[in-house]
């Protein structure tokens, strides 16, 4: 059973690579960003609350995201594995996830850190043309990432669950490197 958590700065290629690996492994790619964007499009209560935070480049509060992830991991397609993209984003969320997985005796996850320099991810994000991808918002998101999410690299490294892949390569080279590290 493959359970992977993808870490890395915004624009490092987590979504693209998670999708490719999920297809390769035949497991679901669970993107909290996609789930949140759909909730915003559908104008659900969660979507309206999340929109306020996302427009500023801030993280959506833990409790909202935790409830959503717990519900998603209980769906039948996630029974034999999954790739989480965009969660956890804080050590508190990692602790929540660890407790959740231990409760269902499925706590053998691996954590993949896609590493890429700021200037590369800024250029990538500006090139996608999303509404929330203005340069000032991107730089704020990188600051939030360094403050709140980067500590997860040490957290999972201390638990011998961390695998790091250079995200500053071609898409194909990153995919090949990921396949190599997850099958070790």
């Amino acid at each position: 059973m493959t359970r992977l958590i993808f870490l890395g700065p915004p624009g490092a290629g987590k979504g693209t690579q998670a999708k490719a690996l999920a297809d390769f492994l035949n497991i679901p790619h669970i993107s909290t960003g996609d789930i949140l964007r759909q909730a915003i499009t559908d104008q659900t209560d969660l979507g309206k609350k999340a929109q306020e935070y996302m427009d500023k480049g801030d993280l959506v509060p833990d409790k909202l995201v935790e409830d959503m992830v717990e519900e998603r991991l209980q769906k039948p397609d996630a029974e034999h594995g999954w790739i989480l993209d965009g969660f956890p984003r804080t050590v508190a969320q990692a602790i929540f996830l660890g407790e959740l997985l231990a409760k269902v005796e499925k706590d053998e996850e691996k954590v993949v850190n896609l590493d890429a320099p700021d200037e590369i991810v800024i250029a990538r994000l500006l090139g996608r043309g999303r509404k929330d991808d203005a340069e000032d918002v991107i730089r704020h998101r990188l600051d939030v990432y360094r403050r709140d999410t980067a500590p997860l690299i040490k957290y999972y490294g201390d638990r011998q669950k961390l695998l790091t892949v250079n995200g500053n390569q071609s898409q194909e080279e990153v995919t090949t490197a990921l396949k190599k590290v997850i099958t070790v």
Side-chain angles (χ1 to χ4, degrees):
M1 182 181 309
T2 303
R3 288 181 297 281
L4 298 170
I5 296 167
F6 273 44
L7 298 179
K14 296 180 300 292
T16 300
Q17 294 300 331
K19 198 170 302 218
L21 269 184
D23 290 344
F24 174 73
L25 297 168
N26 198 30
I27 57 176
H29 165 220
I30 301 171
S31 163
T32 51
D34 288 349
I35 294 168
L36 285 168
R37 279 188 284 279
Q38 188 61 53
I40 289 167
T41 299
D42 295 344
Q43 287 292 292
T44 65
D45 288 341
L46 169 65
K48 290 174 188 172
K49 289 177 190 170
Q51 179 77 60
E52 296 172 24
Y53 294 96
M54 291 171 70
D55 282 348
K56 293 183 276 186
D58 289 334
L59 296 179
V60 176
D62 286 355
K63 183 67 176 132
L64 291 175
V65 180
E66 289 169 358
D67 290 347
M68 180 180 58
V69 168
E70 182 171 6
E71 180 181 289
R72 179 61 184 92
L73 291 179
Q74 292 173 2
K75 298 208 181 218
D77 68 333
E79 191 172 312
H80 300 292
W82 37 258
I83 298 175
L84 270 178
D85 165 17
F87 187 88
R89 289 195 183 214
T90 63
V91 171
Q93 287 179 353
I95 293 167
F96 164 83
L97 181 61
E99 290 169 354
L100 174 66
L101 296 176
K103 195 166 44 176
V104 294
E105 298 174 3
K106 293 182 178 179
D107 59 346
E108 293 299 316
E109 74 281 4
K110 292 180 184 175
V111 180
V112 177
N113 178 38
L114 279 180
D115 195 26
D118 284 3
E119 295 312 310
I120 296 296
V121 299
I122 290 168
R124 286 180 186 171
L125 291 173
L126 287 172
R128 337 190 264 206
R130 281 192 196 156
K131 177 185 155 197
D132 61 340
D133 284 341
E135 187 167 351
D136 61 328
V137 175
I138 292 169
R139 289 193 183 278
H140 178 69
R141 286 168 56 201
L142 285 169
D143 290 342
V144 170
Y145 168 78
R146 277 190 285 279
R147 183 188 70 220
D148 296 340
T149 306
L152 289 172
I153 295 166
K154 179 177 178 356
Y155 177 83
Y156 283 117
D158 289 349
R159 286 154 183 76
Q160 284 78 48
K161 293 184 177 204
L162 186 70
L163 310 165
T164 297
V165 171
N166 178 2
N168 189 17
Q169 308 177 71
S170 74
Q171 188 173 323
E172 295 77 20
E173 289 170 318
V174 175
T175 303
T176 299
L178 283 169
K179 287 177 181 176
K180 215 176 277 184
V181 300
I182 64 162
T183 56
V184 171

